[in-house]
């Protein structure tokens, strides 16, 4: 399996990563090697196998829908890089 | 005092031989004097530690102390600690002060444990050498030119160098056991779901598990008892009662059936590692255990399946780092897309980016069945191999890591060779099983590890077998010179 630098650029965009030209070449090399490693699993016959969703074979637990937390907006927003009046600020999205 | 095990320190505190404040000062002093050579801590929380120690001593005076009250412990910097920087070894979270405690931290805190600080780690727990940390590599106290393993390399190095009596770690593909092996300590990865993942920064959610890193199996039993248990805040937490990990530690091994994995003992196994493994097997035989050769026919597919499942879950988990709500944000973003892309590219290091990219690719339209679903099917085959083996044996034994600690920089240019560090440990995570690494005889003057794998929730038996080995041997008592 080998990825071109165009593939790498496309994946980087999907992952919202900015990749420089030199980085792109190194990445296409490294990612291709990793995919070669991954390709070893193709040899396994998995025709009748159910994919494993969870190691403990348990169902997702549900909880009652009730309020358990108190409002701590200020504390939780104290790590925000840019905030004002309880809002996270980002560059203008709609002109 | 640093020569003593956690159990001995616990007895010393109970007998009034020393106070928690004295003990805490002793370890803080060692960190200050010696950690410059190791870089095992990202943050040292001296002031808080002394306040916690004072509180622990007061609690003891009031007759309310438990076995962990007043014991200093270091936490891997992946666990959220309220009011303290929680970096996960990443520039992305260099400025992140956690607003809450992880459940594991909260439970140990409630037991009266004193936090010495936060230990260095591979960035977002992605690595097997502790070289991907934004805060620089950790050095192995046995040879400071070598890596301590990873991703819990800071915790391993700190415990090995006696800078902390014990530490917490996390293990997604071997991140507790492999560094334990490379630094000569004991490290337990419990069954998936045994310790809460709440507040433990997520890497691969179906594999991540917290566990103790200590000098002895007895210490691991003590610390695990304080860490583990059901937590409704973690949707995959196991809702079953906690075993008493201490009461069965001394049970004799007569008649114990130990499976030796054929596939792990062939394939040009390093002779030093093979000899070390054999020495522990011989000790098990001497104590009356029966050694049975077993086969795990699909285990050779573990690393390839893992490098789909783990990156896929990582790419999903790490999408939360967007430069908006917390974490690193780039300067002067042109627009929202530029904000996302530059914040993430500046905040994440090379290995994290590689794994996000592999995961993004594996989950992208048209590839999901061929990669993620296929890997989850292979995972099922591997788990079935273990189930079949456990019909014949009580525990499974193997080396922990394929070699002793390697030199810093030796594998950084070749991600795949680094990934193969975990060939003996990864299958255990894929199947959700508990696994422990204990020191085996050294090879070339460097520590090696012996891995024991148990049935789901059979931690008590792993600790029992490990403890019995340690009662009759001294491999776990060796300490690096100069620390």
């Amino acid at each position: 399996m080998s990825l071109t630098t165009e593939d790498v650029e496309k994946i980087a965009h999907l992952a919202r990563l900015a990749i420089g030209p030199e980085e792109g070449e190194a990445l296409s090399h490294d990612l291709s090697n990793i995919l070669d490693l991954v390709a070893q699993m193709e040899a396994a016959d998995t025709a009748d196998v159910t994919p494993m969703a969870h190691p403990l074979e348990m169902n997702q637990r549900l909880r009652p829908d009730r309020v358990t937390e108190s409002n701590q907006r200020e504390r939780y927003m104290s790590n925000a890089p840019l905030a004002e009046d309880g809002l996270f600020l980002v560059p203008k999205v709609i002109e | 005092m640093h020569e003593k095990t956690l159990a001995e320190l616990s007895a010393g505190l109970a007998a009034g031989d020393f106070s928690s404040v004295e003990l805490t000062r002793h370890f803080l002093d060692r960190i200050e004097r010696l950690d410059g050579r190791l870089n095992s801590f990202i943050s040292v929380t001296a002031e808080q530690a002394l306040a916690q120690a004072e509180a622990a001593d007061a609690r003891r005076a009031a007759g309310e102390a438990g076995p962990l009250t007043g014991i200093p412990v270091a936490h891997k910097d992946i666990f959220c600690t309220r009011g303290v920087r929680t970096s996960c070894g990443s520039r992305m979270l260099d400025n992140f002060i956690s607003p809450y405690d992880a459940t594991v931290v909260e439970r140990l805190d409630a037991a009266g444990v004193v936090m010495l600080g936060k230990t260095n780690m591979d960035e977002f727990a992605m690595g097997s050498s502790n070289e991907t940390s934004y805060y620089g590599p950790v050095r192995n106290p046995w040879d400071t030119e070598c890596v301590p393993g990873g991703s819990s390399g800071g915790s391993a190095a700190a415990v090995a160098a006696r800078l902390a009596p014990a530490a917490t770690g996390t293990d997604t593909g071997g991140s507790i056991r492999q560094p334990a092996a490379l630094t000569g300590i004991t490290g337990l990865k419990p069954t998936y779901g045994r310790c809460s993942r709440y507040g433990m920064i997520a890497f691969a959610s179906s594999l991540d598990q917290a566990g103790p890193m200590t000098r002895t199996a007895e210490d691991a039993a003590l610390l695990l008892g304080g860490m583990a248990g059901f937590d409704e805040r973690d949707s995959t937490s196991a809702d079953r009662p906690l075993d008493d990990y201490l009461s069965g530690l001394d049970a004799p091994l007569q008649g114990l059936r130990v499976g030796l994995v054929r596939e792990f003992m062939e394939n040009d196994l390093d002779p030093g590692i093979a000899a070390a493994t054999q020495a522990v097997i011989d000790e098990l035989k001497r104590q009356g255990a029966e050694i049975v050769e077993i086969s795990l026919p699909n285990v050779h597919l573990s690393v390839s399946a893992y490098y789909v499942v783990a990156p896929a879950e990582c790419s999903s988990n790490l999408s939360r780092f967007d430069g908006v709500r917390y974490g690193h944000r780039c300067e002067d973003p042109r627009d929202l897309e530029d904000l996302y892309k530059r914040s993430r590219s500046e905040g994440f290091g090379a290995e994290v980016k590689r794994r996000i990219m592999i995961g993004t690719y594996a989950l992208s339209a048209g590839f999901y069945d061929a990669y993620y679903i296929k890997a989850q099917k292979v995972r099922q085959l591997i788990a079935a191999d273990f189930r079949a083996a456990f019909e014949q044996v009580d525990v499974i034994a193997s080396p922990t890591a394929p070699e002793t600690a390697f030199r810093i920089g030796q594998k950084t240019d070749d991600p795949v060779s680094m990934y193969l560090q975990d060939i003996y440990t990864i299958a255990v995570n894929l199947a959700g099983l508990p696994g422990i690494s204990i020191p085996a005889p050294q090879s070339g003057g460097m520590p090696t590890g012996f891995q024991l794998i148990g049935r789901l929730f059979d931690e008590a038996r792993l600790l029992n077998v490990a403890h019995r080995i340690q009662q009759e041997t001294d491999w776990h008592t060796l300490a690096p010179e100069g620390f």
Side-chain angles (χ1 to χ4, degrees):
Chain A
M1 184 71 215
S2 99
L3 294 177
T4 62
T5 44
E6 289 78 51
D7 294 330
V8 168
E9 277 167 31
K10 192 180 149 210
I11 301 164
H13 174 68
L14 288 173
R16 297 296 183 270
L17 290 169
I19 301 292
E22 274 179 36
E23 217 178 340
E25 259 179 48
L27 269 168
S28 73
H29 172 79
D30 289 343
L31 299 186
S32 300
N33 283 347
I34 297 168
L35 290 175
D36 285 341
L37 173 77
V38 162
Q40 290 170 15
M41 70 176 182
E42 284 166 21
D45 178 5
T46 53
D48 301 318
V49 180
T50 317
M52 184 175 190
H54 190 291
L56 302 181
E57 305 287 338
M58 64 185 221
N59 294 322
Q60 197 74 29
R61 227 174 30 245
L62 298 176
R63 60 168 174 78
D65 184 18
R66 54 164 206 268
V67 177
T68 55
E69 303 293 320
S70 54
N71 183 7
Q72 303 180 62
R73 184 160 81 176
E74 264 179 49
R75 184 146 69 93
Y76 290 137
M77 287 191 74
S78 62
N79 278 298
L82 206 56
E84 206 176 286
D85 300 332
L87 302 169
F88 296 105
L89 299 189
V90 295
K92 194 181 262 186
V93 178
I94 302 165
E95 291 297 331
Chain B
M1 278 188 277
H2 57 273
E3 299 294 339
K4 294 185 192 302
T5 66
L6 193 159
E8 288 163 354
L9 292 174
S10 177
L13 284 168
D17 296 344
F18 40 81
S19 69
S20 175
V21 169
E22 286 168 327
L23 193 58
T24 302
R25 276 193 208 284
H26 180 75
F27 281 102
L28 287 171
D29 174 59
R30 284 183 62 76
I31 295 167
E32 195 180 314
R33 280 193 297 117
L34 301 168
D35 198 43
R37 287 155 57 195
L38 298 177
N39 196 28
S40 67
F41 280 82
I42 290 174
S43 307
V44 178
T45 49
E47 210 169 295
Q48 282 136 300
L50 289 167
Q52 278 181 310
E54 271 174 40
D57 285 334
R59 183 168 160 179
R60 189 170 297 280
E64 289 160 7
L68 292 173
T69 306
I71 299 284
V73 165
H75 287 305
K76 184 176 183 180
D77 208 17
I78 199 168
F79 291 100
C80 284
T81 42
R82 185 171 175 166
V84 174
R85 175 173 63 172
T86 299
S87 76
C88 219
S90 182
R91 182 184 185 196
M92 183 59 87
L93 289 175
D94 183 49
N95 59 5
F96 180 69
I97 308 295
S98 176
Y100 67 101
D101 275 331
T103 296
V104 163
V105 171
E106 189 181 87
R107 287 202 172 157
L108 291 177
D109 189 46
V113 162
V114 172
M115 176 174 84
L116 293 168
K118 307 290 295 288
T119 56
N120 205 341
M121 55 181 285
D122 277 302
E123 185 180 8
F124 284 101
M126 298 173 200
S128 304
S129 68
N130 218 117
E131 291 168 290
T132 72
S133 170
Y134 175 62
Y135 302 92
V138 175
R139 292 170 179 276
N140 190 320
W142 289 92
D143 178 349
T144 53
E145 297 301 309
C146 289
V147 305
S151 67
S152 310
S155 289
V159 173
R162 278 64 170 153
L163 304 188
T168 54
T170 62
D171 190 317
T172 304
S175 281
I176 286 175
R177 291 159 289 157
Q178 184 257 9
L182 269 48
T183 58
I185 66 164
T186 299
L188 171 70
K189 181 204 93 75
T191 306
Y192 180 78
R194 184 68 294 180
C195 291
S196 171
R197 290 185 298 109
Y198 179 81
M200 194 174 105
I201 296 172
F203 160 16
S205 304
S206 77
L207 302 165
D208 296 342
Q209 180 57 205
M213 301 181 76
T214 55
R215 302 240 305 274
T216 68
E218 183 185 22
D219 290 359
L222 268 165
L223 194 57
L224 180 64
M227 296 169 71
F230 174 64
D231 179 13
E232 63 180 14
R233 293 178 298 186
D234 169 3
S235 67
T236 58
S237 174
D239 189 2
R240 56 179 282 155
L242 214 53
D243 290 322
D244 177 348
Y245 299 116
L246 290 168
S247 62
L249 278 180
D250 285 312
L253 304 186
Q254 188 67 43
L256 179 83
R257 290 166 305 162
V258 179
L260 195 54
V261 185
R262 184 188 306 148
E263 288 81 0
F264 287 168
M265 298 307 289
E266 48 198 31
N267 295 342
D268 35 275
L269 177 62
D270 175 276
I273 302 291
T277 307
Q278 190 57 49
V280 188
I281 292 289
D282 290 344
E283 174 56 29
L284 285 167
K285 278 189 201 159
R286 212 182 57 73
Q287 293 194 33
E290 182 194 341
I291 311 299
V292 182
E293 190 177 87
I294 56 150
S295 173
L296 301 171
N298 293 290
V299 79
H300 63 287
L301 302 170
S302 304
V303 179
S304 53
Y306 178 88
Y307 277 96
V308 173
V309 175
E313 295 181 10
C314 131
S315 79
S316 168
N317 274 323
L318 271 60
S319 65
R320 73 190 59 170
F321 298 103
D322 55 6
V324 175
R325 292 157 302 162
Y326 52 86
H328 177 76
R329 180 185 182 109
C330 67
E331 296 281 344
D332 303 319
R334 284 191 308 277
D335 52 29
L336 195 58
E337 187 173 304
D338 186 46
L339 169 66
Y340 291 153
K341 285 188 171 176
R342 277 202 293 131
S343 297
R344 288 166 61 78
S345 298
E346 293 167 7
F348 294 137
E351 180 60 22
V352 172
K353 285 183 207 170
R354 274 195 286 272
R355 298 208 194 183
I356 290 175
M357 300 267 291
I358 286 288
T360 302
Y361 177 71
L363 293 175
S364 62
F367 294 109
Y368 181 74
D369 284 355
Y371 285 109
Y372 195 70
I373 294 294
K374 178 78 180 182
Q376 294 287 55
K377 287 180 174 178
V378 170
R379 198 174 167 182
Q380 193 77 274
L381 294 177
I382 291 164
D385 283 355
F386 277 111
R387 278 196 296 274
F390 280 124
E391 285 177 11
Q392 291 174 262
V393 298
D394 302 309
V395 294
I396 292 174
S398 80
T400 307
E403 57 186 325
T404 56
F406 46 93
R407 295 176 78 79
I408 292 171
Q410 193 181 321
K411 294 183 195 287
T412 39
D413 291 338
D414 183 1
V416 169
S417 78
M418 189 74 86
Y419 297 170
L420 296 176
Q421 272 296 306
D422 294 328
I423 49 172
Y424 305 133
T425 48
I426 272 181
V428 177
N429 300 76
L430 291 173
L433 302 170
I436 190 169
S437 177
I438 57 171
Q442 295 197 341
S443 169
M446 292 297 280
T448 72
F450 180 81
Q451 177 176 235
L452 287 161
I453 305 163
R455 297 190 180 101
L456 289 171
F457 299 105
D458 213 4
E459 286 84 1
R461 183 170 341 224
L462 292 184
L463 290 162
N464 161 227
V465 179
H467 179 68
R468 287 296 311 154
I469 293 167
Q470 292 182 343
Q471 289 299 99
E472 301 294 328
T473 59
D474 62 1
W475 306 313
H476 64 290
T477 64
L478 302 177
E481 269 177 45
F483 286 96

